[in-house]
Amino acid sequence: MSTKELLRMETPVAGLHASAPEPLPFAPTLHIRSFLLRRDKGNLLVYSVPSLEAGDPAVEDLGGVSRQYLNHRHEASFLPARVTAPLFVHEADRGSVEKKAHVRGAFSRRHVLDDDLEVIPTPGHTPGATAYLWDSGEHRFLFTGDTVYFSDGEWVAAVLGSSEREHYLDSLELIRELDFDVLVPWAATGGQPYYAVTSKANTRRRIDTIIDRVRAGEDH
């Protein structure tokens, strides 16, 4: 599959370009995507899928990729081998990622890149799980990776046996209060919407539901 097929807008959202869905091998009902954030100060690639290619005219026409950001270490198994832009990940997940690919830089604190991308550590799913809040000028997109993803249209968590439940709860409470209007996880049930336009009230209601389930000992 070429990148010309991969990078397309399934639904117009200004500045955001989504790759075609690819099933997770260990959970094939869930499909993953990468997202190219088109920015004047250099395009960013958030998340990973294996079939993305660098140098394809579709990528170059959009301005290429200046940096790649991962939400968490599990994505290292799906890194596109032909995308060679500098890779960034949280310090806590760096060791696992470096077994698969070179990491140009790691971070450990909340910070802002170029006044439009906020890097927000959200430990729990993995120690280095990180959300990215991007202000495109028209929307405020929050990329939550697997910390919050879509299962049959419902916002859910992914609490693994290796996850830190208390840290996860703290991160969910942080996400609950962030200012964003579009949620963009890494995974969503195949054939269903892969992003959600939301409001503050809707976000709080949905995140509160997740918090209640996780506090009750559920994994989702």
Side-chain angles (χ1 to χ4, degrees):
M1 183 179 294
S2 74
T3 311
K4 192 175 288 294
E5 295 174 301
L6 282 167
L7 282 178
R8 67 177 190 269
M9 293 296 293
E10 296 183 12
T11 303
V13 181
L16 185 70
H17 297 262
S19 70
E22 300 185 41
L24 273 173
F26 53 84
T29 61
L30 292 176
H31 290 182
I32 57 175
R33 291 172 171 82
S34 287
F35 295 89
L36 188 146
L37 284 52
R38 197 171 187 185
R39 307 162 65 246
D40 292 338
K41 295 182 179 179
N43 295 343
L44 305 179
L45 189 67
V46 177
Y47 309 145
S48 62
V49 293
S51 58
L52 206 60
E53 297 180 5
D56 186 283
V59 173
E60 297 307 311
D61 288 349
L62 292 170
V65 177
S66 63
R67 291 185 175 209
Q68 303 176 69
Y69 281 90
L70 299 186
N71 166 262
H72 67 293
R73 65 192 183 202
H74 300 147
E75 293 173 60
S77 298
F78 306 95
L79 280 168
R82 299 179 188 176
V83 176
T84 57
L87 180 65
F88 294 82
V89 67
H90 193 285
E91 182 64 44
D93 281 2
R94 180 175 189 163
S96 295
V97 174
E98 285 191 323
K99 294 176 182 178
K100 302 285 186 178
H102 173 67
V103 174
R104 172 69 65 85
F107 48 82
S108 59
R109 295 182 297 176
R110 185 170 176 173
H111 65 279
V112 177
L113 174 71
D114 298 331
D115 299 324
D116 67 339
L117 183 83
E118 188 169 10
V119 177
I120 307 170
T122 52
H125 178 69
T126 68
T130 301
Y132 302 101
L133 180 57
W134 178 47
D135 186 347
S136 72
E138 295 187 39
H139 293 282
R140 291 178 61 83
F141 297 93
L142 184 67
F143 299 85
T144 52
D146 279 355
T147 298
V148 177
Y149 72 97
F150 299 150
S151 177
D152 292 323
E154 185 178 4
W155 298 21
V156 298
V159 184
L160 309 177
S162 58
S163 297
E164 299 168 310
R165 190 174 294 267
E166 289 305 314
H167 289 170
Y168 211 134
L169 286 166
D170 290 342
S171 293
L172 288 169
E173 290 177 353
L174 171 62
I175 290 169
R176 179 184 183 272
E177 300 306 320
L178 294 175
D179 179 17
F180 64 96
D181 63 303
V182 185
L183 179 67
V184 190
W186 183 42
T189 301
Q192 301 211 15
Y194 60 88
Y195 69 87
V197 176
T198 186
S199 65
K200 192 66 173 179
N202 181 62
T203 293
R204 286 177 170 169
R205 177 179 63 81
R206 289 183 178 272
I207 298 297
D208 280 344
T209 298
I210 299 174
I211 289 172
D212 288 345
R213 290 197 300 260
V214 173
R215 280 182 177 155
E218 298 181 31
D219 295 336
H220 301 284

